[in-house]
């Protein structure tokens, strides 16, 4: 618990799953197999020697930056919002045109990696969404895929973590199933990193807390059902193929989280099998890979992530230094 190796594993793991999946984000499974062989994609596709990650990891880094620049707990949310506006700046400006807070003022982040339209539009309009005042009806997975760093904040409770994760997603995603999964995901990372839970235990415990926090939400029953399905399927004899036919494709928040939980719980001892399962499917491979990678990377630590995923990963040193700073930040 509170291990620096696990903090690093969380961020590097997410970036690994994102980078592996980014190459096949918009391919159906049969197209992936045709292109990469019967096991699907199992190694990075390199561009000038680097494995590129997508908007999922970019925005995760900006969530982390928001946390690092908050000087008190009540500043977390406004600081994260400001960091998302900075991310938006990187999508429409070049580096010399805008001032981005360190440590994210690096040229590699000033590029579009299939950024989601919901995030771009919401942030163009100032990122004003809240749990009470939704700015759209999106439940895309762009809210959940970026919130792992919220589970890395120390000194706040599980419930506070879940609420902050949900609020951070609601800045851009108005549908309850755009932000409830984000809260649950942050809560799971909190439980894994700070209370040494395994993936299933974190899933059930965070789900219980979510039910208590949002008891009258109209979409809570749907959310509970898909997450319980994911946890039960991971412990069953059903094949990965059968599980995906139940859990969906991951373009929306609840499906992306369910798929990631399923893969991380089913392959809890093997990071490689976990993220290969999380990206080789019909759906949103980079996001499901990123979320699964954050979860299992947090559990296994950097030392549990195979070298092939650590080598050639872009901005690897930046990911490590951000993880170190999150680990060292105590309010
Ligand atoms: Mg992406």
């Amino acid at each position: 618990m509170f291990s620096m190796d696990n903090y690093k594993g969380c961020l590097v793991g997410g970036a690994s799953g994102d980078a592996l999946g980014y190459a096949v984000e918009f391919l159906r499974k049969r197209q992936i197999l045709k292109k990469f062989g019967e096991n699907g994609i199992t190694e990075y596709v390199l561009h000038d020697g680097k494995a590129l990650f997508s908007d999922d990891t970019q925005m995760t880094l900006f969530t982390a930056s928001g946390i690092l620049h908050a000087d008190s707990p009540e500043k977390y949310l406004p600081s994260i919002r400001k960091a998302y506006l900075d991310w938006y700046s990187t999508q429409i400006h070049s580096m010399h045109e805008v001032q981005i807070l360190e440590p994210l003022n690096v040229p590699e982040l000033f590029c579009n990696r299939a950024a989601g339209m919901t995030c771009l539009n919401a942030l163009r309009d100032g990122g004003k969404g809240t749990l009470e005042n939704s700015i759209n009806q999106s439940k895309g997975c762009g809210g959940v895929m970026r919130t792992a760093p919220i589970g890395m904040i120390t000194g706040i409770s599980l419930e506070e973590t879940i609420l902050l994760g949900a609020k951070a997603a609601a800045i851009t995603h108005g549908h309850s199933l755009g932000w409830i999964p984000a809260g649950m995901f942050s809560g799971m990372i909190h439980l894994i990193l700070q209370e040494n839970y395994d993936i299933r235990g974190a899933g059930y415990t965070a789900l219980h807390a979510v039910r208590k926090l949002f008891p009258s939400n109209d979409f809570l029953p749907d959310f509970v059902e898909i997450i319980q399905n994911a946890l039960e399927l991971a412990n069953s004899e059903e094949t990965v193929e059968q599980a995906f036919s139940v859990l969906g494709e991951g373009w929306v928040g609840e499906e992306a989280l369910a798929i990631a939980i399923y893969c991380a719980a089913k392959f809890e001892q093997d990071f490689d099998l976990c993220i290969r399962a999380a990206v080789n499917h019909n759906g949103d491979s980079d996001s499901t890979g990123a979320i699964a990678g954050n979860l299992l990377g947090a559990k296994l630590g950097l030392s549990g992530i195979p070298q092939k995923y650590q080598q050639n990963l872009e901005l690897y040193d930046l990911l490590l230094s951000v993880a170190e700073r999150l680990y060292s930040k105590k309010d």
Side-chain angles (χ1 to χ4, degrees), residues 18 22 25 53-57 113-116 145 284 286-287:
D18 183 11
Y22 184 41
E25 179 178 8
F53 52 66
S54 80
D55 58 333
D56 303 54
T57 303
R113 299 276 172 79
M145 54 62 161
D284 192 355
D286 60 327
S287 296

Side-chain angles (χ1 to χ4, degrees), residues 1-2 150-153 157-159 161-162 184-209 295 298-299:
M1 116 179 219
F2 288 103
I150 292 171
M152 303 165 100
I153 299 173
S157 68
L158 172 63
E159 288 71 22
T161 303
I162 291 172
M184 164 124 182
F185 177 43
S186 302
M188 285 184 73
I189 296 290
H190 169 99
L191 290 167
I192 294 165
L193 285 177
Q194 303 188 41
E195 299 191 36
N196 206 22
Y197 276 68
D198 63 12
I199 303 290
R200 285 169 57 77
Y204 282 115
T205 303
L207 186 61
H208 182 71
L295 287 169
K299 183 69 219 163

Side-chain angles (χ1 to χ4, degrees), residues 44-166:
Y44 290 147
V45 172
L46 301 180
H47 301 265
D48 292 329
K50 288 284 170 207
L52 306 182
F53 52 66
S54 80
D55 58 333
D56 303 54
T57 303
Q58 288 179 341
M59 293 195 79
T60 297
L61 283 168
F62 279 90
T63 303
S65 175
I67 293 165
L68 292 174
H69 288 102
D71 52 18
S72 63
E74 55 282 3
K75 300 275 180 60
Y76 284 131
L77 187 62
S79 184
I80 290 169
R81 173 178 284 116
K82 187 179 171 309
Y84 290 160
L85 294 170
D86 276 359
W87 171 78
Y88 179 69
S89 289
T90 66
Q91 302 300 292
I92 59 165
H93 292 294
S94 60
M95 192 170 165
H96 63 267
E97 290 175 319
V98 285
Q99 204 84 52
I100 301 295
L101 291 176
E102 62 75 38
L104 302 187
N105 49 345
V106 295
E108 292 89 338
L109 288 173
F110 283 78
C111 57
N112 184 307
R113 299 276 172 79
M117 287 311 294
T118 301
C119 289
L120 291 171
N121 290 339
L123 295 168
R124 177 199 62 206
D125 296 339
K128 298 198 175 91
T130 64
L131 297 190
E132 297 74 27
N133 291 308
S134 56
I135 48 164
N136 55 42
Q137 268 310 301
S138 176
K139 61 169 189 165
C141 68
V144 56
M145 54 62 161
R146 64 185 192 230
T147 50
I150 292 171
M152 303 165 100
I153 299 173
T154 57
I156 63 173
S157 68
L158 172 63
E159 288 71 22
E160 289 167 327
T161 303
I162 291 172
L163 267 179
L164 183 59

